[in-house]
Amino acid sequence: MREILVVWLLFLSICTSAQYYSSGSDPARLSWQQVKTPVVQLVFEESMQKEALRLAAFMDSVAPHIAGTLNHRPKRISLLLHNHSAYSNGFVSWAPKRSEFFTMPSQDLQSTDWLEHLAIHEYRHVVQIDKLNQGFTKWLSYLIGQQATGGVLGLYLPMWFLEGDAVIAETTLTQSGRGRSYAFNNELKAQLLSRGAFSYDKAYLGSYRDFVPDYYKMGYLLTAKARQQYGPELWENTIQYVGRNSWNLSAFKRGIKRTTGRNQKHLYQQMFKQIREEWETEKHQQSTTEVKAIEVPEDDYLRYLSPVAINDSTLMAELRGPGIRSRIVSIHIPSGQATTLTYTGLRENEPISANHDLVVWSELQYHPRWEHASWSVLRTHDLKTGKDRTITRQSYYFAPALHPQKNLIAAVEVTPDYQFFIVLLDAESGELLQRMATPENHFALTPSWNHKGENLVLVLLSKKGKALYTLTPKGVKWTRLTPWGFDEYRHPKQSGEQVWYTAQGNYGDEIFRLDTLSGASRQITGTPYGAAYPTITPYSQQLIYTAYSEKGHRPVVHADSSLPETKDQPTSMIHQLVEDLTHQEPVVEKSKATSDPYPVKKYSKWNLLNVHSWAPTFVNFSGENIYTGLSVMSQNLLGTTIITAGYNGNPAYESEKYNINLTYRGLYPVFDLDYRFGDTSFEMEGFYTNEEDDFIYGVNTQQTIYHHYLRAGANLPFNISRGHYSRHFEAGARLTWQQRSALAYPLTQYRAVGESLVATGLSIERIIPRMDFYGMEYSFSFQNIRRGTSRDVGTRFGQAISLSYRHSPWGNYDNGSIIGLQSRLYLPGAGRYHSISLSNDFQSKQWGQAVATDGDYYRHYTFSNIVGYPRGYSFLENDQLYLFRATYRMPLWNPDFSLGKIMYVKRLRMNLFYDQAYAQYSRLRMDTNIKQSFSSSPASYGAELHADTHFFRFVIPFSVGARVGYRTADQSMFGEFVLQTGLSGFLVK
């Protein structure tokens, strides 16, 4: 038990030494308001007031139901709404404890209002995490604050459980939710029936060799199937056991085992064996239709998404995959040959559109400064010239649809105040031509033009579910084609009087056809794992769609075979599972509705202090070290102010025992300040001789020297990313000030008389002047990096450059100056995921004031280096230094190997390196005052072997490696251990 506690505290120390998570800042111009309810403190931008009040009332009413199966009611939590971002998501973080919603709904939304979906899913996370704060964890929280619960969360509760359980909540508490979705579950269905179940570690932690469905999907089926069999008490009791016994590293395993008799690995094997058997039974009950495959490349797991037939022989589609860069391709239907047209940037999951002249799609574009301000802009690719253009600026346009004949685009518009429109735009200029509000502000999804371009067909979402609609822009006529329901209508296409769309069949998503004259609808396709994205060839009127398999989405041509009419089909495993889970939800007394509106109050952006954690240790965040002492951490809700303060009790750091660090991000520049203060004792007693005379001097003094250290600066970080390139620019200036108080003490003069000392009656005062050192640093950096794939071992194309200059313009200590230039060039390697990086760095120092030493040469104050050394060297004398580094990175093996629960190795990779430095320096001889010059050219070369590894099934990976090389300077071998990771604040989405 002692060993377990030691490991736990070590892990907690690692987490404590990492920075706490900040998602970014909203524009400074925004005015904020708040409402407080028993469940939530909701903070929102003033234009969002109507929807914020609706959300607050919804959360109050649904919170008891969300908490029901875990039998826990959390305290009020702060919730921040970001409504100026085109990014759709939400998360919960602990330390500081809060939730954040990005309110812009996405185009792959299911049949639940986006804000209500977020409320259920994210508040379930709040219940999960808050329930941990009991027993040993609660006592620990008294000791170290919110980071105690955050540390227990990260250490014990796997992400598959956290997200899987939240997906259950969003499913059982609504008539929608991802748990009901065939599209959400078909990846695991195809894998299980085609390849079988992966190992527990691979299913949870992923692979670079094979496509592995993410832990949302694996987690939902595992938590849901286990809850179906063992009841909701399984997860309630497991979280309770973990919270009360978090001193034990096996708490989660023991918690599960107390109910099931199995640990999480064996529970996974048992549940997925049952799931596979049930899906095998379903497979024999499914009817399939004939298709003609379009022979596109199949060398890897690939997703050919949203195909658009611009003629009978050409498809435009988006292509994604774990080993390729996202792109738009043109597919020759008869041969299957795919030609890359262009590469896409960051974008949500929504369709592209095309006609004979253009391809159009939407991309996320971030504000240069504010992380929580972004837009969805429209980009086009000209099929004749091959040029890409961005045709809108600072827009919130989604799912663009090109007119089949005209230079016209229809798109969904979502405003920051949660209003929904269909807009018509000029495809050349992006000019807004027409704006049409949706009926009753229903959310619009994936519009498309009919084959003549007379009207649009699209999906609308309301509280009653989804329905198919047509919209005739001339006269703005809306016509509902289907009843409201929860069949998850998606991606409708119209030709003549027929509308093809995706919806739920008996065992998977299939393509349906609706006759708009009779209103009759019929399932057209039958596929093993689901169909999506119907498109109709303009002349032959052939149906083309994507069929899913274990190799991804592939386009196929429907062979027009008839699907037999089926009646009284058994309930699918997915729907039976949801039905059973829904019956397990406890009956909870409804909250009493208040007749009074929630009072809206102003929320000041100058609410800067929010102390969330503390520790009986001093944490050095910049150096990631922990010493004896005290620490306090604060981060405000808006994410603009981060403060850490503490007392360092380590005697080695007496001169900086009191510390405060502040970062403020609420204005265009980011300001940071680090101030340290301390004192040291100065004691001197005894007798000393003086080389300048024959007297002896006696001293007896005890004083205190005060030390001040200040580092303050401002920098401007800009994100100017566009398309498939990540571009960042930053410029800054920083002042460093160090002061040591002056010191004066008397020396009593004596004369040696025989063996006695006789006072002369004279004394002199020894003065050590106050030290005032000022240093200024100016920096500039720019990087232009092409986005890669998840399987790349390094950046495969890009450039980066940084320039720094430091000098000491004031004070009584002169450190001289230093200027440094660093540059990186990234190039593709010979292999598919290989990369080359070339570095050329240079620095030049100017001497500061001289310091006499015991050697033959004067030493001078100088600034610390900007440029590093060749690998294998720890020091290199220099006034001017040039460093060249070349590194070749390549993957070696993707073993997906587990050593019990201790480690899971996903990938082995190798780096080959060669470093060469050229250093010049001069020294001034003390005896002759003659300057002498020296030079050296040390080099090193060798190899590094790295293993991308997860330890103890922790979701954040570590890179563990060893470096072996040869130093030319002393003709010797060297070896080094390398450990890297990306620890940061823990959050769940």
Side-chain angles (χ1 to χ4, degrees):
M1 184 178 298
R2 180 180 301 172
E3 290 78 7
I4 292 176
L5 185 59
V6 168
V7 173
W8 197 97
L9 291 174
L10 176 62
F11 177 87
L12 185 61
S13 298
I14 293 174
C15 290
T16 302
S17 65
Q19 289 284 5
Y20 292 93
Y21 180 76
S22 173
S23 63
S25 305
D26 293 88
R29 60 181 169 81
L30 300 184
S31 296
W32 296 93
Q33 296 178 329
Q34 66 173 325
V35 294
K36 288 186 178 181
T37 80
V39 171
V40 66
Q41 175 200 19
L42 190 56
V43 177
F44 52 92
E45 191 260 329
E46 58 184 359
S47 69
M48 194 68 177
Q49 178 174 321
K50 179 181 177 182
E51 294 302 320
L53 291 173
R54 178 176 71 87
L55 175 61
F58 177 77
M59 292 190 70
D60 271 7
S61 66
V62 79
H65 301 274
I66 299 173
T69 55
L70 291 182
N71 193 26
H72 179 72
R73 294 295 298 271
K75 296 179 180 178
R76 179 193 293 145
I77 189 169
S78 296
L79 169 59
L80 179 63
L81 302 185
H82 304 293
N83 63 319
H84 288 268
S85 172
Y87 175 65
S88 301
N89 214 328
F91 69 84
V92 176
S93 182
W94 231 257
K97 168 187 171 182
R98 88 277 192 193
S99 183
E100 299 183 27
F101 290 2
F102 296 85
T103 63
M104 201 73 65
S106 67
Q107 285 291 300
D108 62 351
L109 186 62
Q110 292 186 295
S111 300
T112 303
D113 173 81
W114 174 238
L115 293 180
E116 295 181 2
H117 166 88
L118 282 176
I120 295 173
H121 185 97
E122 303 304 335
Y123 193 72
R124 181 67 171 194
H125 287 320
V126 174
V127 178
Q128 295 164 347
I129 303 169
D130 196 76
K131 189 176 177 67
L132 286 172
N133 194 25
Q134 56 181 301
F136 184 79
T137 306
K138 190 173 186 66
W139 283 105
L140 197 61
S141 69
Y142 295 141
L143 185 65
I144 60 175
Q146 292 176 11
Q147 63 185 341
T149 306
V152 172
L153 169 69
L155 183 60
Y156 294 107
L157 297 190
M159 294 298 293
W160 63 256
F161 164 69
L162 292 165
E163 299 299 352
D165 180 66
V167 172
I168 293 176
E170 76 186 48
T171 302
T172 59
L173 299 178
T174 69
Q175 297 185 67
S176 180
R178 283 172 285 185
R180 301 176 192 266
S181 168
Y182 291 127
F184 181 75
N185 291 289
N186 66 1
E187 293 174 358
L188 272 166
K189 182 177 182 181
Q191 177 211 301
L192 289 176
L193 296 186
S194 302
R195 304 187 59 180
F198 292 141
S199 70
Y200 170 76
D201 289 332
K202 184 171 181 175
Y204 175 34
L205 301 171
S207 169
Y208 290 108
R209 182 175 66 197
D210 301 305
F211 170 76
V212 178
D214 62 47
Y215 52 67
Y216 282 77
K217 302 176 178 70
M218 173 262 201
Y220 167 69
L221 286 176
L222 179 51
T223 55
K225 198 67 179 173
R227 181 175 137 176
Q228 180 191 44
Q229 181 164 330
Y230 296 102
E233 298 81 10
L234 165 62
W235 301 122
E236 176 195 351
N237 295 337
T238 297
I239 297 178
Q240 180 172 284
Y241 185 85
V242 170
R244 292 180 176 179
N245 301 277
S246 52
W247 51 267
N248 188 333
L249 278 179
S250 301
F252 184 74
K253 180 185 76 173
R254 289 175 181 265
I256 293 176
K257 201 167 185 177
R258 284 159 60 92
T259 301
T260 68
R262 293 173 168 83
N263 61 26
Q264 62 263 41
K265 175 182 176 181
H266 295 139
L267 182 67
Y268 162 80
Q269 294 169 343
Q270 177 200 13
M271 295 299 102
F272 272 75
K273 181 176 182 292
Q274 293 180 15
I275 292 169
R276 181 180 182 182
E277 290 171 352
E278 293 182 43
W279 270 336
E280 288 280 8
T281 302
E282 279 188 9
K283 183 178 180 181
H284 298 298
Q285 297 168 345
Q286 291 180 251
S287 299
T288 59
T289 51
E290 296 179 8
V291 298
K292 177 185 177 182
I294 299 175
E295 301 298 330
V296 292
E298 294 198 12
D299 64 328
D300 201 351
Y301 182 91
L302 298 172
R303 298 177 184 267
Y304 290 87
L305 304 174
S306 59
V308 181
I310 62 172
N311 55 49
D312 283 9
S313 62
T314 307
L315 279 180
M316 299 297 169
E318 182 180 13
L319 179 58
R320 299 182 182 182
I324 65 168
R325 295 158 55 206
S326 297
R327 62 194 69 184
I328 293 173
V329 296
S330 173
I331 302 171
H332 184 243
I333 296 173
S335 67
Q337 180 179 353
T339 303
T340 297
L341 300 178
T342 188
Y343 294 93
T344 62
L346 295 175
R347 54 188 252 101
E348 296 284 354
N349 187 20
E350 56 185 80
I352 66 167
S353 183
N355 60 19
H356 292 279
D357 300 316
L358 294 172
V359 183
V360 63
W361 67 97
S362 68
E363 283 187 6
L364 289 176
Q365 192 173 98
Y366 284 89
H367 189 282
R369 169 62 184 87
W370 307 113
E371 296 88 347
H372 292 157
S374 61
W375 303 280
S376 179
V377 300
L378 300 188
R379 288 175 57 80
T380 61
H381 174 82
D382 191 306
L383 294 173
K384 296 176 182 177
T385 66
K387 293 184 178 180
D388 295 348
R389 295 178 58 239
T390 301
I391 63 169
T392 67
R393 298 287 187 276
Q394 298 188 9
S395 59
Y396 295 103
Y397 297 145
F398 302 87
L402 267 170
H403 193 282
Q405 289 95 29
K406 297 180 181 179
N407 203 25
L408 187 66
I409 295 173
V412 176
E413 181 185 19
V414 182
T415 63
D417 59 350
Y418 216 65
Q419 299 300 301
F420 309 132
F421 303 88
I422 296 294
V423 295
L424 300 184
L425 309 165
D426 184 280
E428 177 67 24
S429 65
E431 178 187 356
L432 177 63
L433 304 176
Q434 189 176 358
R435 195 182 199 212
M436 297 160 282
T438 62
E440 300 180 54
N441 201 41
H442 298 329
F443 182 55
L445 298 102
T446 61
S448 66
W449 294 96
N450 69 358
H451 71 293
K452 293 183 179 179
E454 300 166 326
N455 63 264
L456 293 158
V457 60
L458 68 160
V459 178
L460 289 185
L461 170 64
S462 76
K463 288 186 175 296
K464 295 176 286 186
K466 290 180 178 177
L468 293 177
Y469 269 76
T470 59
L471 166 62
T472 305
K474 187 176 181 179
V476 191
K477 181 181 178 181
W478 295 86
T479 303
R480 182 161 57 86
L481 303 179
T482 63
W484 295 103
F486 297 90
D487 290 330
E488 301 301 342
Y489 301 126
R490 290 183 291 131
H491 310 122
K493 296 289 189 296
Q494 183 175 10
S495 182
E497 306 304 331
Q498 308 296 312
V499 175
W500 286 262
Y501 60 93
T502 305
Q504 290 195 334
N506 290 320
Y507 300 109
D509 286 349
E510 301 294 350
I511 308 300
F512 289 74
R513 184 176 61 206
L514 170 70
D515 188 310
T516 59
L517 295 179
S518 66
S521 179
R522 182 176 178 181
Q523 182 177 329
I524 299 301
T525 64
T527 59
Y529 307 115
Y533 301 108
T535 185
I536 310 299
T537 56
Y539 306 112
S540 62
Q541 293 290 289
Q542 280 188 307
L543 169 63
I544 297 176
Y545 60 91
T546 62
Y548 188 79
S549 73
E550 76 280 4
K551 297 291 287 183
H553 292 87
R554 298 294 191 273
V556 297
V557 180
H558 184 60
D560 204 25
S561 58
S562 60
L563 187 71
E565 292 284 352
T566 56
K567 296 181 180 180
D568 302 324
Q569 285 285 324
T571 303
S572 69
M573 185 277 286
I574 290 298
H575 286 170
Q576 185 62 56
L577 180 59
V578 173
E579 184 177 338
D580 292 345
L581 295 175
T582 303
H583 289 156
Q584 291 178 353
E585 293 290 337
V587 177
V588 180
E589 183 179 351
K590 292 184 178 180
S591 301
K592 294 181 180 179
T594 175
S595 58
D596 299 324
Y598 296 112
V600 178
K601 297 182 179 180
K602 179 179 176 60
Y603 184 84
S604 174
K605 60 186 175 184
W606 299 108
N607 285 323
L608 304 182
L609 195 63
N610 174 35
V611 175
H612 60 81
S613 299
W614 47 88
T617 58
F618 175 76
V619 183
N620 178 5
F621 284 92
S622 59
E624 296 193 353
N625 298 313
I626 296 180
Y627 306 107
T628 57
L630 296 171
S631 295
V632 178
M633 303 88 171
S634 170
Q635 180 176 311
N636 69 336
L637 179 61
L638 296 181
T640 58
T641 310
I642 300 173
I643 302 172
T644 60
Y647 167 75
N648 190 343
N650 188 332
Y653 292 87
E654 284 187 340
S655 62
E656 50 185 65
K657 62 180 68 172
Y658 302 102
N659 289 251
I660 184 168
N661 183 279
L662 183 148
T663 300
Y664 182 71
R665 305 178 58 85
L667 299 173
Y668 236 74
V670 176
F671 296 96
D672 62 86
L673 180 145
D674 181 15
Y675 175 69
R676 307 172 196 173
F677 170 74
D679 57 73
T680 56
S681 296
F682 178 85
E683 297 181 11
M684 182 174 286
E685 181 179 2
F687 295 92
Y688 305 92
T689 58
N690 191 331
E691 295 180 358
E692 299 176 358
D693 55 39
D694 295 329
F695 296 103
I696 296 174
Y697 295 89
V699 61
N700 185 358
T701 186
Q702 183 174 349
Q703 300 185 46
T704 299
I705 303 176
Y706 296 97
H707 302 262
H708 300 268
Y709 172 86
L710 175 69
R711 180 180 170 90
N715 65 296
L716 284 169
F718 288 109
N719 181 350
I720 52 176
S721 302
R722 295 292 185 271
H724 56 287
Y725 278 87
S726 173
R727 297 188 178 104
H728 293 268
F729 160 83
E730 187 167 338
R734 182 167 283 109
L735 165 69
T736 300
W737 171 63
Q738 296 182 61
Q739 184 186 85
R740 184 194 63 220
S741 61
L743 184 67
Y745 55 89
L747 297 174
T748 303
Q749 191 180 76
Y750 295 89
R751 184 186 300 276
V753 179
E755 295 183 358
S756 301
L757 294 178
V758 178
T760 65
L762 299 177
S763 64
I764 62 174
E765 186 177 43
R766 175 68 55 85
I767 298 176
I768 300 177
R770 185 178 70 181
M771 182 192 81
D772 271 303
F773 168 75
Y774 291 86
M776 286 295 300
E777 177 181 358
Y778 315 93
S779 61
F780 164 87
S781 64
F782 175 74
Q783 70 171 26
N784 176 55
I785 302 297
R786 189 178 70 187
R787 304 185 198 280
T789 80
S790 61
R791 294 179 179 174
D792 294 341
V793 295
T795 301
R796 285 172 53 83
F797 185 77
Q799 309 84 33
I801 188 169
S802 66
L803 177 66
S804 298
Y805 176 68
R806 302 171 188 163
H807 68 131
S808 47
W810 313 290
N812 55 4
Y813 276 78
D814 180 13
N815 257 33
S817 63
I818 183 171
I819 187 169
L821 176 67
Q822 297 171 286
S823 67
R824 304 285 184 274
L825 175 64
Y826 302 98
L827 298 169
R832 185 169 183 179
Y833 305 117
H834 297 204
S835 68
I836 300 170
S837 66
L838 303 174
S839 301
N840 287 276
D841 302 342
F842 174 79
Q843 72 179 26
S844 177
K845 299 177 184 178
Q846 297 296 322
W847 295 349
Q849 66 191 61
V851 182
T853 67
D854 293 334
D856 297 330
Y857 300 96
Y858 284 103
R859 296 287 181 176
H860 295 78
Y861 287 115
T862 58
F863 280 96
S864 58
N865 290 321
I866 295 173
V867 173
Y869 303 129
R871 276 164 277 203
Y873 294 84
S874 60
F875 180 74
L876 190 60
E877 195 84 48
N878 72 94
D879 291 333
Q880 286 80 40
L881 175 63
Y882 167 75
L883 175 65
F884 170 78
R885 284 189 173 192
T887 307
Y888 190 96
R889 298 177 173 89
M890 56 184 166
L892 294 179
W893 185 30
N894 302 319
D896 296 341
F897 168 75
S898 295
L899 184 61
K901 66 180 180 181
I902 298 174
M903 62 187 301
Y904 169 64
V905 181
K906 291 165 67 174
R907 177 169 64 185
L908 295 178
R909 50 190 171 85
M910 176 177 282
N911 297 346
L912 304 177
F913 68 87
Y914 175 79
D915 296 353
Q916 176 70 66
Y918 297 94
Q920 293 182 333
Y921 61 97
S922 300
R923 293 295 174 260
L924 188 64
R925 291 196 63 91
M926 297 177 66
D927 52 355
T928 63
N929 278 342
I930 296 176
K931 184 183 290 187
Q932 293 182 316
S933 298
F934 306 88
S935 65
S936 64
S937 55
S940 64
Y941 53 87
E944 301 170 355
L945 182 65
H946 296 268
D948 295 323
T949 306
H950 294 264
F951 291 105
F952 301 105
R953 295 175 177 148
F954 189 50
V955 70
I956 297 177
F958 289 77
S959 175
V960 183
R963 176 185 298 144
V964 177
Y966 180 79
R967 283 189 300 259
T968 60
D970 57 1
Q971 298 182 347
S972 65
M973 299 292 294
F974 67 91
E976 297 172 339
F977 176 73
V978 181
L979 176 66
Q980 297 174 327
T981 189
L983 283 172
S984 64
F986 199 83
L987 70 157
V988 287
K989 296 182 179 180

